[in-house]
């Protein structure tokens, strides 16, 4: 059914709104100007409540109504948003999320969820107005004879609303505004204006013709009342007259309205704003003036408000600005199309095949020497390249969403640990492949938890070390020469090398008395079964932390670097390829075989001859820089003699460079990575395979591994140890 | 969903509406109701089955009413369901419709409300 589809949209939207709410809540404590965040939260709950109402999801409506009321009081500064309330609202957020989830599963309310709602609602009571009576359903406004309002006739706000024609189509119901106004105060008088409702065939059932004149006795301020209409303000005409307005102001107001003056005047009289005598007099004396002025007089709401001195000009400007921002955002939202991830994956797969097929066609065209064919395939190739880039960019997502989830985690975890931690996020707009982002979130979680648990010290230790009470943790993402770097840095105690060594010996990971460099010691924490936590806590210390992290990162063809200073902090750097599927390759030849290097990692190419520094130690002198090199011919045990002029391809990964000696340079080409089977997992230096245009298979070289091989002190190629680690017992 | 049911009571044809009369159903209802009323020459619309009414629905009812009177006939709305009463009350539209609303429990101000 159509309604089901709409409901799905509601669920999706609700999720997004909840995410926004969570983000706002988490950011609010550091926010210097939390007004916008509070508004965002309020809007989120308000919208969820409204949409839930459309689907008759009463449990959600009931629950969010109370949350909204509390937020509204926060917004109007009647109560302050202290950490306790933030935590409570976060719980409410979680509960709302679970309500939405059960809605998706088709369950409206379970005894548990009801109990959960009730429990949270009880906790919210103290934050509610008055003696804390929760109104479980929107207040139904009882008919109130106009004379009954004691305390003079000017006590009320007069609201005049002409809803825009598309209000109903946009999913808004004027009724809900009236109901909501009823919760802000007492509706003393109300009149529906239905004069615009056409007769006969002109009537369009989905157009809104309704207008409302309403007197509201409330303590709420102008902003609060205006905000009620936030979502319809754009295309509706809304006028507010504050209490104690002068008779002339009411008259000006009446004249500004499109309806018959008499008609509106009577409404105002009925609502007790002005007396009939006032009305008669004012209308008579000002009639002539009206005619002179023309009809346009006072039609602009902003002008009226300022003329009435109802609001100072800056407020109007601010409101307009806000309205515009809201519009912009809406426009932006309209441009987004949601596509299922597997469709995208399929597309990228196909583009991959297309790249191979294109390369093959191109190779054939070259062989045939047919200029026109060559011309055609060149164009095709160029287009394929563009399609590839576009298809891949479709899969790119910003890492910001993943980062933002850590706000919550850091908050929860640090509370649990009794540590005060500030999280800084940088580079949230860095884009990377969706698959990578997904696979990255678990390892990042481990790392962040580790940093909080083991990295950042307890308060006493921090004070003793002269550090600020609040620990800092930062997540940072940026692009760096063809890869993405994600840093997790803390200002904690750093890695205790002695402790690590001791533990590693205990666990039999290294031999007693082994000489290890600092980098080698720190990398021990990535070994399986290694955990230094003295006490096993709930968060980490299960010994399945960092080795799983490394495994996950390895699977993404990434690498981890650790930089740690004792008592000063640790920075963990994850380096990842931009994408998993397709790379720009650089083809080299050894003997009869072709190999492919990722082009991003290639720095330069040169002849080996004059640079040779030391054949023995495999070092070349590159313009004064000592560069380790490897002969791929040796690494891959290629039979036959090397050519007289060998070439060096200088590659760089991270901070380190190395030279790879090959027989031939064969140029750039675009290639699709095909993963190697499990059988070849142990083969070092090879990251994947690809099919060349000619149908031949070429291996894609794993440059990071090769660089590491080349950098190892005794040039590991002869002994080829089984792991990256320094020699151990084994 | 909105369903229509034609019946007769005291030799008077009646069209009964059951379900929701909201923005989701008004477009169809705007076609169906006049057609069905005309076919049966019914002048009574029974609203006892209306479970939900929104502004769009209220507008439609008002339009039907006015449309009938502009063609010289009269359309009576009867047996307002609580959902209908709530909306008409909220918008203070009872007078604009001018139909007698019978309710249980009856509210004294409303039950003699015809104008």
């Amino acid at each position: 059914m159509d309604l089901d589809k709409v409901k799905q949209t509601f669920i999706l939207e609700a999720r997004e709104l909840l995410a926004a709410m969570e983000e706002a809540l988490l950011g609010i404590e550091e926010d210097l100007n939390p007004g916008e965040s509070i508004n965002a939260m309020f809007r989120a709950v308000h919208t969820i409540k409204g949409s839930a109402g459309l689907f008759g999801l009463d449990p959600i409506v009931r629950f969010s109504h109370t949350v909204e009321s509390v937020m509204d009081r926060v917004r109007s500064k009647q109560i302050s948003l202290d950490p306790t309330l933030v935590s409570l609202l976060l719980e409410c957020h979680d509960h709302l999320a679970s309500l939405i989830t059960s809605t998706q599963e088709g369950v409206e309310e379970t005894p548990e969820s009801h109990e959960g709602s009730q429990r949270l609602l009880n906790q919210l009571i103290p934050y509610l107005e008055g003696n804390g009576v929760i109104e479980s359903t929107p207040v139904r406004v009882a008919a109130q004879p106009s004379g009954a309002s004691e305390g003079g006739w000017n006590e009320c706000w007069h609201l005049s609303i002409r809803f825009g024609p598309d209000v109903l189509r946009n999913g808004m119901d004027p009724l809900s505004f009236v109901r909501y106004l009823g919760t802000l105060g007492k509706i003393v008088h109300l009149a529906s204006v239905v004069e615009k409702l056409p007769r006969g065939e002109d009537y369009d059932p989905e157009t809104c013709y309704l207008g409302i004149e309403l007197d509201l006795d409330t303590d709420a301020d102008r902003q609060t009342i205006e905000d009620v209409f936030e979502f319809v303000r754009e295309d509706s005409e809304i006028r507010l007259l504050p209490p104690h307005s002068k008779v002339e102001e009411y008259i000006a107001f009446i004249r500004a309205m499109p309806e018959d003056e008499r008609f509106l005047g009577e409404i105002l009289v009925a609502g007790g704003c002005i007396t009939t005598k006032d009305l008669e007099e004012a209308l008579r004396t000002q009639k002539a003036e009206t005619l002179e002025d023309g009809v346009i007089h006072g039609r602009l709401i902003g002008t009226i408000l300022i003329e009435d001195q109802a609001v100072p000009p800056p407020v109007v400007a601010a409101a307009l600005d806000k309205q515009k921002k809201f519009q912009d955002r809406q426009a932006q939202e309209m441009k987004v199309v949601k596509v299922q991830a597997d469709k995208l994956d399929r597309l990228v797969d196909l583009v991959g095949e297309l790249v191979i097929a294109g390369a093959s066609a191109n190779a054939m065209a070259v062989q045939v020497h047919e200029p026109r064919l060559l011309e055609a395939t060149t164009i095709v190739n160029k287009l394929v390249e563009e399609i590839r880039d576009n298809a891949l960019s479709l899969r790119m997502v910003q890492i910001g969403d993943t980062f933002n989830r850590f706000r919550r985690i850091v908050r929860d975890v640090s509370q649990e640990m009794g540590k005060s931690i500030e999280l800084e996020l940088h580079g949230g707009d860095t884009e990377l492949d969706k698959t990578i982002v997904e696979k990255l979130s678990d390892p990042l979680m481990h790392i962040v938890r580790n940093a909080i648990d083991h990295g950042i010290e307890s308060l006493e230790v921090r004070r003793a070390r002269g550090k600020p009470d609040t620990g800092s943790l930062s997540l940072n993402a940026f692009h760096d020469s063809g890869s993405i770097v994600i840093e997790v840095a803390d200002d904690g105690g750093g890695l205790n090398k002695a402790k690590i060594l001791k533990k590693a010996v205990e666990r039999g990971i290294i031999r007693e008395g082994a000489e290890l460099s600092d980098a080698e010691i720190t990398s021990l924490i990535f070994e399986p079964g290694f955990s230094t936590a003295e006490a096993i806590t709930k968060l980490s210390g299960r010994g399945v932390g960092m080795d799983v992290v490394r495994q996950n990162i390895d699977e993404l063809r990434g690498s981890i670097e650790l930089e740690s200073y004792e008592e000063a902090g640790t920075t963990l750097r994850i380096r990842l390829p931009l994408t998993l599927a397709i790379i720009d390759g650089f083809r080299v030849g050894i003997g009869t075989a072709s190999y492919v290097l990722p082009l991003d990692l290639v720095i330069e190419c040169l002849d080996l001859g004059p640079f040779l520094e030391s054949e023995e130690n495999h070092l070349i002198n590159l313009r004064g820089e000592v560069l380790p090199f490897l002969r791929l011919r040796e690494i891959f045990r290629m039979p036959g003699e090397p050519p007289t002029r060998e070439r060096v391809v200088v590659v760089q990964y991270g901070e380190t460079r190395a030279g790879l000696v090959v027989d031939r340079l064969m140029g750039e080409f675009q290639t699709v990575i095909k993963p190697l089977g499990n059988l070849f997992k142990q083969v070092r230096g090879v990251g994947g395979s690809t099919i060349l245009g000619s149908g031949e298979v070429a291996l894609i070289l794993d440059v990071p591994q090769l660089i590491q091989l080349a950098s190892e002190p005794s040039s590991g190629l002869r002994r080829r140890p089984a792991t990256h680690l320094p020699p151990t017992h084994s | 969903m909105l369903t229509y049911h034609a019946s007769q009571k005291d030799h008077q044809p009646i069209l009964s509406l059951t379900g929701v009369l909201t923005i989701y159903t008004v477009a169809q209802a705007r076609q169906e109701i006049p057609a069905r009323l005309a076919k049966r020459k019914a002048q009574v619309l029974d609203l006892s089955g209306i479970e939900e009414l929104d502004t769009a629905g209220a507008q439609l009812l008002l339009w039907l009413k006015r449309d009938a009177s502009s063609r010289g006939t009269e359309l009576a709305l009867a047996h307002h369901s609580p959902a209908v009463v709530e909306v008409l009350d909220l918008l203070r539209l009872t007078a604009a419709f001018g139909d007698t609303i019978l309710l249980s429990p009856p509210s004294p101000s409303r039950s003699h409300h015809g104008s």
Side-chain angles (χ1 to χ4, degrees):
Chain A
M1 284 296 290
D2 262 352
L3 200 59
D4 269 356
K5 263 191 200 158
V6 184
K7 205 164 175 172
Q8 285 307 317
T9 317
F10 158 66
I11 287 165
L12 273 179
E13 274 175 7
R15 289 243 163 85
E16 280 168 17
L17 286 165
L18 282 171
M21 172 183 168
E22 188 181 29
E23 198 180 321
L25 264 173
L26 291 165
I28 217 151
E29 283 168 328
E30 295 119 55
D31 214 337
L32 291 175
N33 181 17
E36 192 45 47
S37 298
I38 292 173
N39 278 338
M41 266 156 31
F42 177 80
R43 273 198 301 270
V45 181
H46 182 72
T47 313
I48 290 174
K49 182 180 98 172
S51 320
L54 283 177
F55 296 100
L57 301 167
D58 289 337
I60 298 180
V61 175
R62 261 202 310 276
F63 184 71
S64 44
H65 175 70
T66 308
V67 178
E68 183 191 357
S69 311
V70 171
M71 284 191 172
D72 189 41
R73 297 198 66 211
V74 172
R75 199 167 63 150
S76 54
K77 301 208 168 64
Q78 292 173 45
I79 48 175
S80 68
L81 195 61
D82 56 14
T84 332
L85 183 54
V86 171
S87 297
L88 179 58
L89 287 175
L90 276 171
E91 267 188 77
C92 292
H93 159 271
D94 293 351
H95 185 66
L96 262 179
S98 77
L99 286 178
I100 302 278
T101 308
S102 35
T103 301
Q104 191 176 26
E105 287 158 359
V107 193
E108 203 167 287
E109 191 166 32
T110 61
E112 294 84 48
S113 74
H114 182 74
E115 204 178 294
S117 300
Q118 216 47 52
R119 187 178 58 77
L120 286 168
L121 288 179
N122 287 338
Q123 283 179 268
L124 285 171
I125 287 180
Y127 296 101
L128 284 171
E129 201 140 7
N131 50 9
V133 179
I134 295 180
E135 313 203 357
S136 51
T137 43
V139 179
R140 199 176 125 192
V141 184
Q144 184 85 40
S146 57
S149 69
E150 295 296 318
W153 10 272
N154 277 1
E155 291 302 320
C156 303
W157 283 85
H158 184 82
L159 278 72
S160 168
I161 311 136
R162 297 295 176 271
F163 291 100
D166 289 328
V167 163
L168 295 170
R169 267 182 223 108
N170 292 341
M172 246 81 66
D173 187 352
L175 281 173
S176 53
F177 295 101
V178 178
R179 288 197 182 102
Y180 183 75
L181 285 172
T183 66
L184 286 181
K186 198 163 74 173
I187 298 179
V188 174
H189 182 80
L190 185 149
S192 293
V193 181
V194 286
E195 310 310 309
K196 273 198 285 177
L197 185 73
R199 285 160 206 253
E201 291 309 306
D202 292 340
Y203 163 71
D204 172 5
E206 290 178 353
T207 297
C208 186
Y209 301 105
L210 186 70
I212 285 174
E213 297 289 329
L214 174 153
D215 290 317
L216 183 67
D217 184 0
T218 176
D219 295 331
D221 60 5
R222 173 175 289 271
Q223 189 63 40
T224 314
I225 300 174
E226 273 180 358
D227 283 349
V228 172
F229 300 99
E230 169 125 34
F231 295 108
V232 289
R233 195 151 61 190
E234 279 166 37
D235 48 1
S236 302
E237 285 183 54
I238 293 152
R239 290 175 172 79
L240 296 181
L241 275 179
H244 311 292
S245 291
K246 292 192 198 96
V247 171
E248 295 76 50
E249 285 166 343
Y250 286 106
I251 302 302
F253 161 78
I254 293 172
R255 289 164 67 208
M257 297 305 286
E259 282 85 12
D260 178 49
E261 288 170 352
R262 177 69 48 184
F263 171 73
L264 278 170
E266 274 160 15
I267 288 175
L268 285 173
V269 172
C273 296
I274 52 173
T275 62
T276 319
K277 193 166 153 270
D278 287 336
L279 177 68
E280 295 290 342
E281 265 175 33
L283 286 181
R284 204 168 41 235
T285 52
Q286 295 189 356
K287 194 103 196 166
E289 210 181 306
T290 316
L291 290 172
E292 278 166 35
D293 284 11
V295 203
I296 299 138
H297 171 76
R299 283 305 300 271
L300 298 166
I301 181 164
T303 329
I304 280 209
L305 287 173
I306 296 168
E307 280 173 1
D308 288 0
Q309 293 186 323
V311 278
V315 177
V316 175
L320 288 174
D321 183 49
K322 198 165 143 199
Q323 219 169 336
K324 188 172 172 298
K325 270 190 204 149
F326 181 70
Q327 254 169 351
D328 287 352
R329 203 180 56 212
Q330 259 192 341
Q332 210 174 4
E333 277 165 7
M334 294 295 282
K335 283 183 207 146
V336 174
V337 181
K338 289 194 170 92
V339 180
Q340 285 194 323
D342 54 353
K343 283 191 185 166
L344 267 186
D345 290 348
R346 176 90 191 110
L347 177 69
V348 172
D349 280 352
L350 282 174
V351 170
E353 299 296 330
L354 189 62
V355 169
I356 295 177
S360 152
N362 202 35
M364 255 186 284
V366 172
Q367 272 176 4
V368 179
H369 285 299
E370 166 66 49
R372 275 188 306 171
L373 182 61
L374 205 57
E375 172 95 20
T377 55
T378 311
I379 293 170
V380 170
N381 271 342
K382 195 168 155 288
L383 290 172
V384 166
E385 205 170 300
E386 276 176 34
I387 291 174
R388 176 201 70 160
D389 289 346
N390 275 310
L392 285 181
S393 71
L394 287 181
R395 294 177 44 95
M396 300 300 254
V397 292
Q398 297 193 344
I399 198 165
D401 284 345
T402 311
F403 272 10
N404 282 332
R405 285 179 23 210
F406 284 98
R407 284 178 189 272
R408 180 70 187 272
I409 290 156
V410 168
R411 192 194 144 87
D412 288 357
V413 170
S414 58
Q415 265 185 358
E416 200 170 309
M417 309 283 310
K419 293 175 180 175
S420 150
I421 292 169
E422 199 179 312
L423 178 70
E424 278 176 52
L425 303 176
H426 302 285
D429 54 353
T430 310
E431 290 191 325
L432 66 168
D433 196 284
K434 191 172 165 296
T435 328
I436 299 183
V437 172
E438 280 164 8
K439 290 189 177 159
L440 196 61
S441 101
D442 278 356
L444 267 182
M445 182 92 75
H446 271 295
I447 293 168
V448 167
R449 291 190 155 182
N450 254 310
I452 298 173
D453 200 0
H454 304 315
I456 292 177
E457 316 93 322
S458 61
L459 188 59
E460 302 83 61
V461 179
R462 286 188 72 87
R463 284 191 179 154
R465 285 176 178 170
K467 293 185 186 178
D469 286 1
T470 302
S472 105
L473 185 68
S474 74
L475 287 177
N476 190 9
F478 54 92
H479 284 259
D480 181 40
S481 64
S483 48
I484 302 266
V485 180
I486 294 157
E487 282 182 345
V488 183
D490 65 61
D491 70 343
L495 292 172
N496 184 333
K497 301 208 171 77
K499 219 197 254 178
I500 293 173
L501 270 179
K502 189 163 148 263
K503 189 76 79 183
V505 173
E506 266 170 33
R507 301 278 153 103
I509 298 168
I510 51 163
R511 215 175 19 219
E512 181 97 50
E515 294 274 320
L516 298 181
S517 68
D518 280 3
E520 283 162 352
I521 295 171
T522 50
S523 68
L524 283 172
I525 69 163
F526 296 112
E527 285 304 297
F530 190 92
S531 167
T532 54
E534 272 152 7
I536 297 209
T537 65
K538 193 177 152 196
L539 301 170
S540 52
R542 283 161 302 206
V544 291
M546 299 310 270
D547 61 317
V548 176
V549 168
R550 189 174 73 181
Q551 209 177 318
N552 284 337
I553 302 295
D554 280 350
E555 272 166 26
L556 295 171
R557 292 193 289 120
S559 67
I560 305 188
E561 292 163 30
L562 239 175
E563 207 177 296
S564 180
Y565 303 96
E566 250 167 82
E567 298 197 6
T570 307
T571 301
L572 202 143
R573 213 166 277 128
I574 301 173
R575 198 172 277 277
L576 293 165
L578 273 178
T579 173
L580 294 174
I582 301 177
I583 55 167
D584 271 319
F586 185 74
R587 202 167 143 206
V588 297
I590 305 156
T592 54
S594 299
Y595 294 88
V596 179
L597 295 163
L599 187 63
D600 296 333
L601 305 177
V602 173
I603 303 292
E604 60 181 314
C605 303
L606 29 102
D607 283 340
L608 180 59
F611 300 98
L612 198 61
E613 176 79 6
S614 155
E615 178 74 64
E616 185 74 8
N617 293 323
H618 281 83
L619 293 173
I620 51 176
N621 175 354
L622 179 66
R623 296 182 293 272
E625 188 190 343
V626 176
L627 195 72
F629 73 89
L630 279 182
R631 282 202 155 79
L632 289 186
R633 181 173 276 281
E634 291 174 23
I635 294 274
F636 298 116
R637 312 236 172 100
M638 199 62 79
E641 281 304 304
T644 44
R645 274 182 67 196
E646 288 176 296
R647 313 289 178 127
V648 183
V649 181
V650 180
V651 289
Q652 174 169 6
Y653 187 69
E655 301 297 306
T656 44
R657 291 182 177 196
L660 301 175
V661 179
V662 299
D663 290 0
R664 288 186 311 281
L665 305 175
M666 299 163 80
E668 292 171 34
F669 91 128
Q670 207 176 66
T671 184
V672 179
I673 299 180
K674 302 266 171 194
L676 289 172
N678 275 335
L679 249 181
F680 300 98
K681 264 215 165 128
Q682 299 306 313
V683 180
R684 297 193 66 189
V686 177
S689 65
T690 185
I691 299 163
L692 300 177
S694 58
E696 283 172 83
V697 173
L699 292 176
I700 297 170
L701 298 178
D702 185 334
V703 171
Q705 278 186 6
L706 289 172
I707 292 181
Q708 202 165 3
L709 265 181
S711 315
E712 274 168 24
S714 48
S715 186
L717 58 103
R718 275 174 291 268
R719 270 180 285 124
R720 312 194 66 185
T723 74
H724 300 219
L725 280 170
T728 67
H729 66 280
S730 93
Chain B
M1 268 292 282
L2 185 68
T3 54
Y4 316 88
H5 175 73
S7 61
Q8 259 193 337
K9 197 186 168 194
D10 305 335
H11 304 291
Q12 207 180 19
I14 294 173
L15 184 65
S16 306
L17 304 180
T18 311
V20 294
L21 187 56
T22 63
I23 183 71
Y24 296 108
T25 52
V26 284
Q28 187 212 16
R30 183 234 178 283
Q31 303 299 328
E32 291 285 333
I33 297 174
R36 284 169 195 260
L37 286 172
K39 196 170 144 204
R40 298 257 166 182
K41 301 208 166 32
Q43 296 191 346
V44 179
L45 206 52
D46 182 326
L47 304 176
S48 58
I50 299 286
E51 291 151 19
E52 197 188 334
L53 185 75
D54 68 354
T55 306
Q59 283 188 164
L60 179 70
L61 292 179
L62 192 58
W63 175 76
L64 286 168
K65 187 97 185 159
R66 289 183 173 180
D67 197 43
S69 71
S70 71
R71 279 183 285 104
T73 59
E74 195 182 330
L75 177 69
L77 307 181
H79 303 118
H80 302 59
S81 73
V84 177
V85 175
E86 201 244 314
V87 170
L88 298 193
D89 240 19
L90 203 57
L91 295 178
R92 311 290 199 276
L93 277 175
T94 333
F97 278 100
D99 293 290
T100 310
I101 297 177
L102 288 169
L103 276 183
S104 50
S107 149
S109 64
R110 282 188 208 115
S111 44
H112 307 291
H113 206 303
S115 70

